[in-house]
Amino acid sequence: MATNQPKRLYQVWKGSNRFLCGGRLIFGPEVLSLFLSTFLIAAPAAVFCSVLISKIIAQDKFHWIPVLAVAAIITISDFMLLFLTSGRDPGIVPRNTRPFESEEMFDLATTPSMEWIQGRTPHLRVPRTKEIVINGIAVKVKYCDTCSLYRPPRASHCSVCNNCVKRFDHHCPWVGQCIGLRNYRFFFLFLSSSTFLCIYVLTFSLLNILMHKKDSKSWKDTMSEEVLSLVLVIYCFIAFWFVGGLTVFHLYLICTNQTTYENFRNRYDKKENPHNRGILMNFKEVFFSTIPPSMNDFRSWVFEEHIDVGAFTPNRRSDFINSNDKIDVEMGSSSLPNVTTLPIPQILQNLDHNGINDNLNRDGNEDRELVPSFFPIDQELRESSQACATIPSDHELRDRDQGCSTTLVNHDPQEYLQEHTEANEAEVAGEGSTLNETTPVNHDNHILQA
């Protein structure tokens, strides 16, 4: 049921993202991790700049001014790349709000698959995977139960952001965002600038200690006077192995045109990578290609739809589905709302199910075809058979074949009751006419019976 009040798309977005500036900036659910990363970059940079400024002012060492300027430029660039990575759409694939049509099933039915799903349309089944051809190589794409669509090649569903992302690389907790098609370039540049900043601060902090050693007589005096520079050396040395290792790893992924997700799953260890076009073309694809526009206009006006029961994949082993047993294949968590709070129709509340149990227990035969107890067919058939089994009177012999050979074809209870009532009225009318016109009647017997 849709309301008449339109809202912005980001206000009714079903993913776990957080939006700022009216939907212009999109972040992952881990916004606090972004502040932590900002602090880990800003704190050592601020300490390094304060050490240089104190030397320039107190000791008139103006040759540190260019060093200070370069450090400020690298730090600002690093922050810009961090927020470009974290605050933009990584390549989210919009969810499919239109179920598959029956015409589309004919094309999908030819896809070989050992598993079928029903999803939001129980009357239609679609294969779990289908094959497409990329550069002459067949590639399988999977159906996403959460987004109700076949993922594009190299796309995957992020369990943290709850979105399908094109060219999904990984979800980075340090930037609080998925890394995908539209922000991978900025992510690699962020890693590279962070690595360069670590090397830069480490080098000049160590150089500052060595220059101070020339003026001092011992290392102990030098370390006691340059405590901040010593802390920066230790901090940057540890951070370098972390961000530097990631930079080298992603440099290898770019050269081979892989993603972190594909590499960890050994996707192309035993088969050819259809996306690898050589080192130069791979670099061109990442750094010099046009970034595609976002597939979502988060500031567009939409009408919010309130769905009473969420989409789910039926349990194949049972016709009855427990709401607590709903497991999202992609998310690995229970996501179906409690459907027991829904109102039960009045017609279902008035049903008597005792007859079903009686039919199951009678004669110990559970394989017989059961008729629900609210269809009074079984009982009336037994009454009809008993009535036909009694010894008929003279005027009933002529109508015996017609009365006992009546077959119940339509099992609709209302139609059957109407037909049965009309047949009884016709029989009573026939009896009256027969008694009055053609059949000799023993009036004494009738008087005695009365």
Side-chain angles (χ1 to χ4, degrees):
M1 181 177 63
T3 61
N4 294 326
Q5 297 179 356
K7 295 184 178 181
R8 300 283 188 182
L9 178 60
Y10 75 91
Q11 295 176 331
V12 297
W13 186 251
K14 295 182 179 181
S16 304
N17 305 89
R18 297 187 180 183
F19 298 86
L20 294 178
C21 300
R24 294 177 177 87
L25 298 178
I26 173 174
F27 297 90
E30 304 164 339
V31 179
L32 295 178
S33 63
L34 178 61
F35 291 104
L36 176 60
S37 300
T38 304
F39 174 77
L40 293 177
I41 297 172
V47 172
F48 179 73
C49 292
S50 64
V51 171
L52 295 182
I53 293 174
S54 64
K55 288 186 176 296
I56 294 173
I57 297 176
Q59 303 177 11
D60 295 334
K61 295 183 178 180
F62 298 102
H63 57 275
W64 289 105
I65 294 179
V67 178
L68 176 63
V70 173
I73 294 173
I74 297 175
T75 303
I76 294 173
S77 302
D78 203 26
F79 281 130
M80 291 178 60
L81 293 171
L82 172 61
F83 288 105
L84 282 174
T85 303
S86 180
R88 68 186 291 118
D89 179 5
I92 298 175
V93 181
R95 302 190 182 209
N96 182 24
T97 58
R98 178 184 65 87
F100 286 105
E101 301 294 340
S102 58
E103 293 78 4
E104 299 178 71
M105 294 299 102
F106 292 102
D107 297 333
L108 298 176
T110 59
T111 303
S113 178
M114 299 300 293
E115 186 178 3
W116 293 76
I117 57 176
Q118 290 178 298
R120 296 185 179 183
T121 54
H123 61 286
L124 295 176
R125 296 196 306 165
V126 295
R128 172 69 63 181
T129 62
K130 69 176 183 178
E131 291 185 353
I132 61 174
V133 179
I134 299 178
N135 296 329
I137 301 176
V139 177
K140 287 185 178 181
V141 294
K142 293 183 179 181
Y143 183 86
C144 179
D145 296 315
T146 305
C147 299
S148 300
L149 50 80
Y150 282 99
R151 302 168 188 158
R154 313 188 80 177
S156 183
H157 192 92
C158 176
S159 60
V160 180
C161 295
N162 195 20
N163 297 311
C164 278
V165 180
K166 297 180 68 176
R167 199 186 183 277
F168 178 76
D169 190 86
H170 69 288
H171 181 90
C172 181
W174 297 102
V175 301
Q177 181 64 285
C178 291
I179 307 302
L181 177 65
R182 301 188 68 251
N183 64 349
Y184 182 78
R185 177 186 305 177
F186 303 107
F187 174 74
F188 180 81
L189 294 176
F190 165 68
L191 289 179
S192 303
S193 63
S194 299
T195 303
F196 184 72
L197 181 62
C198 287
I199 296 174
Y200 188 84
V201 174
L202 173 64
T203 301
F204 284 97
S205 296
L206 186 59
L207 184 61
N208 182 37
I209 294 175
L210 294 177
M211 293 178 63
H212 192 274
K213 174 63 176 62
K214 294 180 180 180
D215 301 333
S216 301
K217 295 182 180 180
S218 63
W219 283 101
K220 183 178 180 180
D221 296 337
T222 303
M223 296 302 176
S224 61
E225 294 177 2
E226 296 291 342
V227 176
L228 294 179
S229 297
L230 179 62
V231 172
L232 289 175
V233 169
I234 298 174
Y235 178 85
C236 293
F237 180 79
I238 296 174
F240 168 77
W241 291 105
F242 176 71
V243 294
L246 286 176
T247 303
V248 173
F249 173 69
H250 281 278
L251 189 63
Y252 161 75
L253 294 179
I254 294 174
C255 293
T256 57
N257 205 333
Q258 297 185 68
T259 64
T260 304
Y261 182 80
E262 294 169 347
N263 183 267
F264 281 11
R265 286 178 171 260
N266 302 320
R267 188 70 58 88
Y268 304 120
D269 283 356
K270 297 181 179 180
K271 61 181 180 180
E272 184 179 358
N273 184 359
H275 310 285
N276 189 1
R277 299 185 297 171
I279 296 178
L280 294 179
M281 295 302 297
N282 293 339
F283 267 90
K284 181 180 179 181
E285 178 182 341
V286 173
F287 296 106
F288 302 102
S289 61
T290 302
I291 298 177
S294 175
M295 301 177 68
N296 304 278
D297 184 7
F298 295 105
R299 290 184 52 79
S300 62
W301 293 97
V302 295
F303 290 93
E304 183 179 10
E305 294 182 355
H306 299 282
I307 302 176
D308 293 334
V309 180
F312 60 91
T313 302
N315 187 350
R316 298 177 186 147
R317 295 176 297 178
S318 173
D319 294 332
F320 300 94
I321 300 175
N322 186 356
S323 63
N324 295 326
D325 293 339
K326 166 64 178 76
I327 298 177
D328 194 328
V329 176
E330 300 296 332
M331 298 292 296
S333 61
S334 177
S335 61
L336 185 65
N338 188 4
V339 297
T340 58
T341 59
L342 296 178
I344 301 176
Q346 186 67 28
I347 189 173
L348 296 180
Q349 297 178 359
N350 297 330
L351 294 182
D352 184 12
H353 301 280
N354 295 327
I356 298 178
N357 296 329
D358 295 337
N359 290 333
L360 288 174
N361 297 327
R362 186 174 62 249
D363 300 331
N365 185 6
E366 298 181 356
D367 295 331
R368 62 186 296 270
E369 183 178 358
L370 299 178
V371 180
S373 60
F374 49 85
F375 288 173
I377 298 174
D378 218 17
Q379 181 178 358
E380 294 185 5
L381 282 175
R382 291 195 298 270
E383 295 176 356
S384 300
S385 62
Q386 293 175 2
C388 293
T390 59
I391 300 175
S393 61
D394 294 337
H395 64 273
E396 292 175 342
L397 290 174
R398 290 187 298 271
D399 299 330
R400 177 177 181 177
D401 294 336
Q402 179 179 0
C404 297
S405 61
T406 303
T407 304
L408 296 175
V409 178
N410 190 349
H411 291 269
D412 185 76
Q414 296 181 356
E415 295 182 3
Y416 172 74
L417 290 176
Q418 183 178 1
E419 293 177 1
H420 194 66
T421 303
E422 294 176 355
N424 291 336
E425 293 177 354
E427 184 177 355
V428 173
E431 290 177 0
S433 62
T434 303
L435 290 174
N436 295 330
E437 297 179 2
T438 60
T439 305
V441 180
N442 190 344
H443 295 282
D444 297 334
N445 294 335
H446 280 280
I447 294 172
L448 293 175
Q449 290 177 1

